[in-house]
Amino acid sequence: IEIDLHVPALIPNDYIPDVHSRLVLYKRIAAAADNEILKELQVEMIDRFGLLPGQVQTLFAIHTLRFQAKTIGIKKIDVYDQGGRIIFDESPNIDPMAIITLIQTQAQKYKLDGQDKLRFTEFMPEPEDRINTLSQILNELEQT
């Protein structure tokens, strides 16, 4: 599942100077099977290297959102400062009528773009805003 928030989501050189250590951590983060393993990795990184910089927090948040998106049946998410779009799999785990109801009740925020895309509009200037908004939208989709 591809999630692009158009903000830095990485392990900076000044946080972990050793390239090999960074690569190993990237692989471990990408291979994490669930949120519990991601939380354990965060604790380990804080213990070894200190508090997580914003870019690393964003990296973990994206992976957490990826688990949630997978259960819904989403294959791609693009989020910008003014809104974004969600592209569903061929057969998502969501009732199409529920999406239509969501759009009808919040027409100023949501619009369909073809059969498999849901567009949303919201002002999200900061990475945290994008993460929180996307998490809220995924929660709304899960409840439908």
Side-chain angles (χ1 to χ4, degrees):
I1 299 169
E2 183 182 336
I3 299 177
D4 192 351
L5 301 181
H6 298 276
V7 295
L10 53 93
I11 303 171
N13 298 355
D14 59 351
Y15 181 63
I16 303 177
D18 181 54
V19 174
H20 178 71
S21 295
R22 281 197 315 271
L23 290 175
V24 167
L25 286 167
Y26 278 124
K27 286 181 181 180
R28 290 180 63 197
I29 292 167
D34 57 33
N35 284 327
E36 190 61 38
I37 293 171
L38 283 178
K39 288 177 187 174
E40 290 171 8
L41 278 168
Q42 289 179 24
V43 169
E44 178 185 330
M45 287 177 70
I46 291 169
D47 286 346
R48 290 177 60 194
F49 305 107
L51 293 176
L52 301 176
Q55 301 103 320
V56 179
Q57 292 175 11
T58 302
L59 179 67
F60 278 106
I62 287 171
H63 282 278
T64 300
L65 292 167
R66 188 170 280 131
F67 292 127
Q68 193 174 9
K70 184 179 181 180
T71 61
I72 297 170
I74 294 171
K75 69 177 178 181
K76 184 176 181 180
I77 300 172
D78 272 318
V79 181
Y80 300 91
D81 61 342
Q82 299 291 322
R85 71 180 177 159
I86 296 171
I87 302 172
F88 295 96
D89 286 335
E90 290 180 17
S91 55
N93 300 326
I94 190 166
D95 179 15
M97 284 308 297
I99 293 175
I100 291 169
T101 302
L102 184 68
I103 292 167
Q104 289 173 339
T105 59
Q106 298 183 52
Q108 73 285 358
K109 183 175 182 176
Y110 298 109
K111 290 183 171 67
L112 274 179
D113 184 11
Q115 293 181 353
D116 62 346
K117 294 177 196 80
L118 179 67
R119 288 199 178 273
F120 60 94
T121 306
E122 182 139 346
F123 182 63
M124 304 166 287
E126 300 297 323
E128 299 82 26
D129 299 328
R130 296 175 196 189
I131 291 165
N132 292 336
T133 298
L134 183 55
S135 179
Q136 177 186 6
I137 290 170
L138 294 177
N139 285 338
E140 288 178 11
L141 289 173
E142 277 183 328
Q143 293 173 7
T144 56

